[in-house]
Amino acid sequence: METREAEASTSVVYLDYNATAPLRPEALAAMLPILQGVGNSSSPHALGQRAARAVDIARRQLADLIGCSPGEIIFTSGATEANNLALGATAGRGGQMVTGATEHPAVLEAARAVSASSGAGLTILPVDSAGRIDLPTLSSALRRGPVSVVSVMAANNETGVLSDLSEVIELAHQAGALVHTDATQMVGRLSIDLSDLGVDLLSLSAHKFGGPQGVGALFIRRGISLPYTPLLIGGGQEKGWRAGTLNVAGVVGMGAAAASAATELTAEVARTAALRNRLEASLLAKIPGSRVNGDRKHRLPGVTSITFPGAPADALISSMPDVAVSDGSACSSGAPGPSHVLLAMGLSYADAESTLRFSLGYATTNEHIDYAIAATVGAVQRVQTALHVPSAPA
Ligand code: PMP
């Protein structure tokens, strides 16, 4: 609560949770004694064993959030590493790899690199205008020959659009392929139950649900056999999957954030969806010509991607410095050109470059939304006027 109030009182309204979420107070409280103390979780003495017990608790907290068993979790430095590990490991089964055009670069680029180094073929599935994977193209890729892995994200980081994972899993498993999902944007924001959802591997990152940056995990379903080569070779930690001294404070912060997110999940889904819907409805009503991108029914509760034709996102962002929003994915914002996600959904270059992503989360308040609506309306009017865009009929 303290952080919630402190955050609300700062001068910037933060609506960029898909880039990173503020650290939850529970995560900070759990991490502080670890940072102030000492102990390598692999050491046999009492301090090491205390660190190991803290790691065990965190593994259980994370497992409870996603419905798996603690032994199925490998801690990593984040979702980027988890995705690289998952794709490298599954490619070792032989056969081609299949993924989607709107994946995060941590999957798309990793898949391209693994395909280039292993010689495995790579199929990149198109999406429809709502941002959802084209299932007939998946079926025909699966019919063309053995597929090692189908990697489809649970929720898109730019639009919040949810994949039809159950369908993907059914088709892939019928063809003998494993399924990996990059669930970085879904974990802690919508319920995921791995005891029910049959994915074989799942990646996540703590800082998207209020844990610290630089720590994440890969879930690997018990019983699947992977002829893997670890990315990091050394002391054999994490059952040999990922060598290196564990980031105990990070892992403990992730566990505490997972427990806090799990407690509030149902109420938070409803609360953030209501705030997002109000933001979206007001902007659409007040800004003629504005449009929401992606499937509005199958979406994360706290995300909206809106195109404001004739108002480039970079100009909008500089015109409202006290509201933190994104022009797409923060991770690829260094890359030239408009968002590959919006282009894959059929937007023109100009529209893709005139799109803002608003992403809300656990500390977003009604006041933040009021402020963001007024600031965005003002910024769009200023930018369109400066660029002499005629107002579209309302
Ligand atoms: N996948 C998705 C969908 C993401 O949104 C992100 C972070 N933007 C990542 C992977 C990478 O996460 P990290 O930078 O924490 O490794």
Side-chain angles (χ1 to χ4, degrees), residues 18-19 77-81 83 104 106 153 155-157 182 184-185 205 207-208 214 329 331:
N18 280 17
S77 62
T80 300
E81 184 185 335
N83 287 339
H104 188 274
M153 69 201 317
N156 185 270
N157 46 303
D182 176 355
T184 308
Q185 296 292 350
S205 202
H207 69 108
K208 307 292 184 179
S329 152
C331 311

PDB file of all heavy atoms in Angstrom, residues 18-19 77-81 83 104 106 153 155-157 182 184-185 205 207-208 214 329 331, ligand 1:
ATOM      1  N   ASN A  18       3.676  -3.489 -19.212  1.00  0.00           N
ATOM      2  CA  ASN A  18       4.169  -4.578 -20.064  1.00  0.00           C
ATOM      3  C   ASN A  18       5.673  -4.444 -20.309  1.00  0.00           C
ATOM      4  O   ASN A  18       6.322  -5.413 -20.686  1.00  0.00           O
ATOM      5  CB  ASN A  18       3.415  -4.621 -21.404  1.00  0.00           C
ATOM      6  CG  ASN A  18       2.072  -5.306 -21.255  1.00  0.00           C
ATOM      7  OD1 ASN A  18       1.581  -5.459 -20.146  1.00  0.00           O
ATOM      8  ND2 ASN A  18       1.476  -5.710 -22.363  1.00  0.00           N
ATOM      9  N   ALA A  19       6.218  -3.240 -20.085  1.00  0.00           N
ATOM     10  CA  ALA A  19       7.683  -3.084 -20.151  1.00  0.00           C
ATOM     11  C   ALA A  19       8.274  -3.583 -18.839  1.00  0.00           C
ATOM     12  O   ALA A  19       9.198  -4.390 -18.827  1.00  0.00           O
ATOM     13  CB  ALA A  19       8.053  -1.634 -20.397  1.00  0.00           C
ATOM     14  N   SER A  77      17.698 -16.019 -15.681  1.00  0.00           N
ATOM     15  CA  SER A  77      17.852 -14.564 -15.515  1.00  0.00           C
ATOM     16  C   SER A  77      16.655 -13.799 -16.068  1.00  0.00           C
ATOM     17  O   SER A  77      16.654 -12.574 -16.057  1.00  0.00           O
ATOM     18  CB  SER A  77      19.115 -14.108 -16.232  1.00  0.00           C
ATOM     19  OG  SER A  77      18.984 -14.377 -17.624  1.00  0.00           O
ATOM     20  N   GLY A  78      15.670 -14.498 -16.583  1.00  0.00           N
ATOM     21  CA  GLY A  78      14.497 -13.808 -17.129  1.00  0.00           C
ATOM     22  C   GLY A  78      13.878 -14.652 -18.227  1.00  0.00           C
ATOM     23  O   GLY A  78      14.293 -15.801 -18.467  1.00  0.00           O
ATOM     24  N   ALA A  79      12.902 -14.065 -18.913  1.00  0.00           N
ATOM     25  CA  ALA A  79      12.221 -14.817 -19.968  1.00  0.00           C
ATOM     26  C   ALA A  79      13.082 -14.959 -21.214  1.00  0.00           C
ATOM     27  O   ALA A  79      12.968 -15.939 -21.945  1.00  0.00           O
ATOM     28  CB  ALA A  79      10.907 -14.132 -20.327  1.00  0.00           C
ATOM     29  N   THR A  80      13.961 -13.999 -21.463  1.00  0.00           N
ATOM     30  CA  THR A  80      14.831 -14.109 -22.642  1.00  0.00           C
ATOM     31  C   THR A  80      15.657 -15.382 -22.537  1.00  0.00           C
ATOM     32  O   THR A  80      15.714 -16.183 -23.481  1.00  0.00           O
ATOM     33  CB  THR A  80      15.761 -12.874 -22.732  1.00  0.00           C
ATOM     34  OG1 THR A  80      14.945 -11.704 -22.834  1.00  0.00           O
ATOM     35  CG2 THR A  80      16.695 -12.967 -23.928  1.00  0.00           C
ATOM     36  N   GLU A  81      16.280 -15.587 -21.387  1.00  0.00           N
ATOM     37  CA  GLU A  81      17.086 -16.794 -21.206  1.00  0.00           C
ATOM     38  C   GLU A  81      16.206 -18.046 -21.235  1.00  0.00           C
ATOM     39  O   GLU A  81      16.572 -19.057 -21.846  1.00  0.00           O
ATOM     40  CB  GLU A  81      17.854 -16.723 -19.884  1.00  0.00           C
ATOM     41  CG  GLU A  81      18.779 -17.909 -19.720  1.00  0.00           C
ATOM     42  CD  GLU A  81      19.470 -17.950 -18.358  1.00  0.00           C
ATOM     43  OE1 GLU A  81      19.643 -16.896 -17.718  1.00  0.00           O
ATOM     44  OE2 GLU A  81      19.808 -19.069 -17.933  1.00  0.00           O
ATOM     45  N   ASN A  83      13.423 -18.507 -22.825  1.00  0.00           N
ATOM     46  CA  ASN A  83      13.028 -18.784 -24.216  1.00  0.00           C
ATOM     47  C   ASN A  83      14.185 -19.412 -24.997  1.00  0.00           C
ATOM     48  O   ASN A  83      13.994 -20.377 -25.750  1.00  0.00           O
ATOM     49  CB  ASN A  83      12.602 -17.491 -24.923  1.00  0.00           C
ATOM     50  CG  ASN A  83      11.242 -16.992 -24.443  1.00  0.00           C
ATOM     51  OD1 ASN A  83      10.457 -17.752 -23.898  1.00  0.00           O
ATOM     52  ND2 ASN A  83      10.970 -15.711 -24.639  1.00  0.00           N
ATOM     53  N   HIS A 104       7.610 -12.184 -29.382  1.00  0.00           N
ATOM     54  CA  HIS A 104       8.634 -11.256 -28.897  1.00  0.00           C
ATOM     55  C   HIS A 104       9.973 -11.633 -29.556  1.00  0.00           C
ATOM     56  O   HIS A 104      10.205 -12.815 -29.843  1.00  0.00           O
ATOM     57  CB  HIS A 104       8.714 -11.419 -27.374  1.00  0.00           C
ATOM     58  CG  HIS A 104       9.576 -10.399 -26.718  1.00  0.00           C
ATOM     59  ND1 HIS A 104      10.939 -10.558 -26.578  1.00  0.00           N
ATOM     60  CD2 HIS A 104       9.278  -9.206 -26.150  1.00  0.00           C
ATOM     61  CE1 HIS A 104      11.431  -9.514 -25.943  1.00  0.00           C
ATOM     62  NE2 HIS A 104      10.452  -8.672 -25.675  1.00  0.00           N
ATOM     63  N   ALA A 106      12.648 -12.206 -28.253  1.00  0.00           N
ATOM     64  CA  ALA A 106      13.331 -13.241 -27.456  1.00  0.00           C
ATOM     65  C   ALA A 106      12.916 -14.643 -27.885  1.00  0.00           C
ATOM     66  O   ALA A 106      13.580 -15.617 -27.523  1.00  0.00           O
ATOM     67  CB  ALA A 106      13.051 -13.049 -25.966  1.00  0.00           C
ATOM     68  N   MET A 153       3.190 -17.671 -28.075  1.00  0.00           N
ATOM     69  CA  MET A 153       3.108 -16.874 -26.842  1.00  0.00           C
ATOM     70  C   MET A 153       1.713 -16.950 -26.231  1.00  0.00           C
ATOM     71  O   MET A 153       0.706 -17.070 -26.952  1.00  0.00           O
ATOM     72  CB  MET A 153       3.528 -15.426 -27.093  1.00  0.00           C
ATOM     73  CG  MET A 153       2.589 -14.614 -27.942  1.00  0.00           C
ATOM     74  SD  MET A 153       3.375 -13.147 -28.721  1.00  0.00           S
ATOM     75  CE  MET A 153       4.366 -12.448 -27.449  1.00  0.00           C
ATOM     76  N   ALA A 155       0.299 -14.502 -24.309  1.00  0.00           N
ATOM     77  CA  ALA A 155      -0.335 -13.195 -24.487  1.00  0.00           C
ATOM     78  C   ALA A 155       0.681 -12.273 -25.128  1.00  0.00           C
ATOM     79  O   ALA A 155       1.853 -12.282 -24.752  1.00  0.00           O
ATOM     80  CB  ALA A 155      -0.775 -12.625 -23.140  1.00  0.00           C
ATOM     81  N   ASN A 156       0.202 -11.475 -26.098  1.00  0.00           N
ATOM     82  CA  ASN A 156       1.139 -10.606 -26.809  1.00  0.00           C
ATOM     83  C   ASN A 156       1.489  -9.369 -25.987  1.00  0.00           C
ATOM     84  O   ASN A 156       0.621  -8.734 -25.385  1.00  0.00           O
ATOM     85  CB  ASN A 156       0.532 -10.198 -28.159  1.00  0.00           C
ATOM     86  CG  ASN A 156       1.525  -9.404 -28.979  1.00  0.00           C
ATOM     87  OD1 ASN A 156       1.587  -8.189 -28.888  1.00  0.00           O
ATOM     88  ND2 ASN A 156       2.340 -10.105 -29.741  1.00  0.00           N
ATOM     89  N   ASN A 157       2.769  -9.005 -26.020  1.00  0.00           N
ATOM     90  CA  ASN A 157       3.224  -7.877 -25.208  1.00  0.00           C
ATOM     91  C   ASN A 157       2.768  -6.525 -25.740  1.00  0.00           C
ATOM     92  O   ASN A 157       2.671  -5.566 -24.991  1.00  0.00           O
ATOM     93  CB  ASN A 157       4.758  -7.893 -25.086  1.00  0.00           C
ATOM     94  CG  ASN A 157       5.453  -8.144 -26.400  1.00  0.00           C
ATOM     95  OD1 ASN A 157       5.214  -9.144 -27.055  1.00  0.00           O
ATOM     96  ND2 ASN A 157       6.298  -7.227 -26.806  1.00  0.00           N
ATOM     97  N   ASP A 182       5.684 -18.680 -24.396  1.00  0.00           N
ATOM     98  CA  ASP A 182       6.270 -17.533 -23.718  1.00  0.00           C
ATOM     99  C   ASP A 182       5.102 -16.843 -23.008  1.00  0.00           C
ATOM    100  O   ASP A 182       4.294 -16.157 -23.628  1.00  0.00           O
ATOM    101  CB  ASP A 182       6.911 -16.621 -24.769  1.00  0.00           C
ATOM    102  CG  ASP A 182       7.467 -15.345 -24.158  1.00  0.00           C
ATOM    103  OD1 ASP A 182       7.280 -15.121 -22.946  1.00  0.00           O
ATOM    104  OD2 ASP A 182       8.095 -14.570 -24.905  1.00  0.00           O
ATOM    105  N   THR A 184       5.310 -14.682 -20.531  1.00  0.00           N
ATOM    106  CA  THR A 184       5.855 -13.546 -19.776  1.00  0.00           C
ATOM    107  C   THR A 184       4.797 -12.511 -19.422  1.00  0.00           C
ATOM    108  O   THR A 184       4.800 -11.957 -18.330  1.00  0.00           O
ATOM    109  CB  THR A 184       6.964 -12.876 -20.615  1.00  0.00           C
ATOM    110  OG1 THR A 184       7.883 -13.886 -21.012  1.00  0.00           O
ATOM    111  CG2 THR A 184       7.683 -11.801 -19.843  1.00  0.00           C
ATOM    112  N   GLN A 185       3.891 -12.237 -20.358  1.00  0.00           N
ATOM    113  CA  GLN A 185       2.902 -11.181 -20.094  1.00  0.00           C
ATOM    114  C   GLN A 185       1.645 -11.714 -19.418  1.00  0.00           C
ATOM    115  O   GLN A 185       0.797 -10.932 -19.003  1.00  0.00           O
ATOM    116  CB  GLN A 185       2.517 -10.480 -21.412  1.00  0.00           C
ATOM    117  CG  GLN A 185       3.666  -9.741 -22.070  1.00  0.00           C
ATOM    118  CD  GLN A 185       4.125  -8.512 -21.279  1.00  0.00           C
ATOM    119  OE1 GLN A 185       3.486  -8.081 -20.319  1.00  0.00           O
ATOM    120  NE2 GLN A 185       5.240  -7.934 -21.684  1.00  0.00           N
ATOM    121  N   SER A 205       8.939 -14.110 -16.539  1.00  0.00           N
ATOM    122  CA  SER A 205       9.910 -13.137 -16.037  1.00  0.00           C
ATOM    123  C   SER A 205       9.306 -12.406 -14.841  1.00  0.00           C
ATOM    124  O   SER A 205       8.173 -11.910 -14.926  1.00  0.00           O
ATOM    125  CB  SER A 205      10.230 -12.145 -17.159  1.00  0.00           C
ATOM    126  OG  SER A 205      11.465 -11.530 -16.936  1.00  0.00           O
ATOM    127  N   HIS A 207       9.784  -9.513 -13.331  1.00  0.00           N
ATOM    128  CA  HIS A 207       9.498  -8.070 -13.264  1.00  0.00           C
ATOM    129  C   HIS A 207       8.206  -7.668 -13.947  1.00  0.00           C
ATOM    130  O   HIS A 207       7.774  -6.528 -13.850  1.00  0.00           O
ATOM    131  CB  HIS A 207      10.682  -7.255 -13.806  1.00  0.00           C
ATOM    132  CG  HIS A 207      10.947  -7.359 -15.268  1.00  0.00           C
ATOM    133  ND1 HIS A 207      10.686  -6.342 -16.141  1.00  0.00           N
ATOM    134  CD2 HIS A 207      11.473  -8.362 -16.018  1.00  0.00           C
ATOM    135  CE1 HIS A 207      11.053  -6.707 -17.369  1.00  0.00           C
ATOM    136  NE2 HIS A 207      11.525  -7.932 -17.318  1.00  0.00           N
ATOM    137  N   LYS A 208       7.556  -8.618 -14.625  1.00  0.00           N
ATOM    138  CA  LYS A 208       6.272  -8.274 -15.234  1.00  0.00           C
ATOM    139  C   LYS A 208       5.130  -8.408 -14.222  1.00  0.00           C
ATOM    140  O   LYS A 208       4.033  -7.924 -14.459  1.00  0.00           O
ATOM    141  CB  LYS A 208       5.978  -9.162 -16.441  1.00  0.00           C
ATOM    142  CG  LYS A 208       7.081  -9.206 -17.483  1.00  0.00           C
ATOM    143  CD  LYS A 208       7.276  -7.896 -18.221  1.00  0.00           C
ATOM    144  CE  LYS A 208       8.341  -8.086 -19.306  1.00  0.00           C
ATOM    145  NZ  LYS A 208       8.583  -6.894 -20.098  1.00  0.00           N
ATOM    146  N   GLY A 214      15.679  -9.125 -13.922  1.00  0.00           N
ATOM    147  CA  GLY A 214      16.863  -9.985 -13.983  1.00  0.00           C
ATOM    148  C   GLY A 214      16.680 -11.360 -13.390  1.00  0.00           C
ATOM    149  O   GLY A 214      17.658 -12.038 -13.099  1.00  0.00           O
ATOM    150  N   SER A 329       6.891  -2.336 -28.249  1.00  0.00           N
ATOM    151  CA  SER A 329       7.612  -3.111 -27.261  1.00  0.00           C
ATOM    152  C   SER A 329       8.884  -2.385 -26.870  1.00  0.00           C
ATOM    153  O   SER A 329       9.673  -2.011 -27.728  1.00  0.00           O
ATOM    154  CB  SER A 329       7.949  -4.462 -27.868  1.00  0.00           C
ATOM    155  OG  SER A 329       9.102  -4.965 -27.284  1.00  0.00           O
ATOM    156  N   CYS A 331      11.402  -3.578 -25.613  1.00  0.00           N
ATOM    157  CA  CYS A 331      12.581  -4.385 -25.925  1.00  0.00           C
ATOM    158  C   CYS A 331      13.038  -4.190 -27.351  1.00  0.00           C
ATOM    159  O   CYS A 331      14.188  -4.395 -27.670  1.00  0.00           O
ATOM    160  CB  CYS A 331      12.265  -5.857 -25.707  1.00  0.00           C
ATOM    161  SG  CYS A 331      11.504  -6.128 -24.136  1.00  0.00           S
TER     162      CYS A 331
HETATM  163  N1  PMP B   1       8.737 -12.255 -23.850  1.00  0.00           N
HETATM  164  C1  PMP B   1       7.838 -11.278 -23.785  1.00  0.00           C
HETATM  165  C2  PMP B   1       6.466 -11.517 -24.333  1.00  0.00           C
HETATM  166  C3  PMP B   1       8.158 -10.054 -23.197  1.00  0.00           C
HETATM  167  O1  PMP B   1       7.243  -9.096 -23.144  1.00  0.00           O
HETATM  168  C4  PMP B   1       9.462  -9.870 -22.681  1.00  0.00           C
HETATM  169  C5  PMP B   1       9.863  -8.564 -22.037  1.00  0.00           C
HETATM  170  N2  PMP B   1       9.449  -7.429 -22.706  1.00  0.00           N
HETATM  171  C6  PMP B   1      10.366 -10.921 -22.773  1.00  0.00           C
HETATM  172  C7  PMP B   1       9.976 -12.106 -23.373  1.00  0.00           C
HETATM  173  C8  PMP B   1      11.775 -10.800 -22.253  1.00  0.00           C
HETATM  174  O2  PMP B   1      11.773 -10.699 -20.863  1.00  0.00           O
HETATM  175  P1  PMP B   1      13.105 -10.334 -20.091  1.00  0.00           P
HETATM  176  O3  PMP B   1      13.596  -9.071 -20.724  1.00  0.00           O
HETATM  177  O4  PMP B   1      12.680 -10.122 -18.693  1.00  0.00           O
HETATM  178  O5  PMP B   1      14.067 -11.427 -20.285  1.00  0.00           O
END
